[in-house]
């Protein structure tokens, strides 16, 4: 098997922040790195799951909703992938700075009823907000 591009990056050199990959088939993947890889600090599974629901909802209700292909968690629990079309780095950075505060204002995790989710008890709204606040602080250091 060939080693896929995601595994060719040296994760020990990968820093927190927002990283953009070259577009493939018209889709651009953004690496939203919340945590420094292999540094002992990971997003808990419940917070990771809640952030997925909250940010997918915020992004799909945003001004760029037509250009959002997918938002989902990394299995290593150090961040998320956002797949987009027609959006450049600056637009995505601005979009995240706009939509994270929307998620921070949510009083409940969207789509977290039994009939809406595959593991509806595995959520942590407060933990998700804490991680999102920290990530927004990281994004605010990027121009
Ligand atoms: Zn779910």
């Amino acid at each position: 098997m060939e080693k896929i591009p995601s595994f060719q990056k040296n994760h020990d050199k990968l820093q927190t922040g927002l990283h953009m990959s070259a577009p493939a088939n018209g889709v651009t993947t953004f690496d939203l790195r919340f945590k420094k890889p292999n540094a002992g600090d990971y997003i808990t599974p419940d917070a990771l799951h809640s952030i997925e629901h909250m940010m997918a909802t915020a992004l799909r209700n945003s001004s760029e909703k037509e250009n959002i292909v997918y938002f989902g968690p990394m299995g290593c629990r150090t961040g998320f992938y956002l797949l987009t079309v027609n959006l450049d780095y600056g637009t995505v950075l601005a979009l995240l700075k706009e939509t994270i505060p929307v998620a921070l204002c949510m009083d409940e995790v969207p789509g977290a009823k039994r009939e809406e989710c595959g593991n509806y008890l595995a959520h942590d709204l407060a933990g998700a907000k804490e991680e999102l606040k920290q990530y927004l602080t990281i994004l605010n250091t990027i121009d």
Side-chain angles (χ1 to χ4, degrees):
M1 304 269 262
E2 276 178 46
K3 195 189 263 197
I4 63 173
S6 313
F7 302 147
Q8 291 171 12
K9 273 185 267 181
N10 182 344
H11 281 71
D12 283 332
K13 291 189 178 145
L14 194 58
Q15 297 298 321
T16 55
L18 178 65
H19 309 289
M20 180 178 164
S21 300
N25 300 318
V27 175
T28 301
T29 299
F30 288 87
D31 173 327
L32 285 61
R33 197 62 67 153
F34 280 45
K35 305 286 187 185
K36 188 171 163 38
N38 300 311
D41 179 26
Y42 307 97
I43 305 168
T44 67
D46 287 4
L48 191 82
H49 184 197
S50 295
I51 293 169
E52 178 191 24
H53 281 232
M54 294 158 78
M55 287 303 294
T57 300
L59 289 162
R60 290 187 187 284
N61 281 278
S62 73
S63 54
E64 299 293 350
K65 61 184 174 187
E66 304 300 332
N67 294 322
I68 304 300
V69 176
Y70 170 79
F71 178 85
M74 296 175 184
C76 61
R77 296 189 279 114
T78 63
F80 297 83
Y81 285 117
L82 171 61
L83 276 61
T84 63
V85 289
N86 308 317
L87 299 181
D88 61 21
Y89 186 92
T91 305
V92 168
L93 180 60
L95 180 64
L96 290 170
K97 288 180 181 180
E98 179 189 311
T99 49
I100 290 173
V102 171
L104 290 174
C105 288
M106 291 176 177
D107 300 323
E108 56 180 29
V109 178
K113 294 191 183 71
R114 186 183 175 111
E115 64 272 24
E116 297 168 331
C117 171
N119 193 356
Y120 80 108
L121 293 175
H123 282 288
D124 178 2
L125 178 65
K129 287 186 177 181
E130 193 48 50
E131 296 293 357
L132 285 167
K133 261 184 234 167
Q134 287 179 28
Y135 185 59
L136 187 56
T137 304
I138 293 168
L139 290 182
N140 282 332
T141 66
I142 307 170
D143 299 318

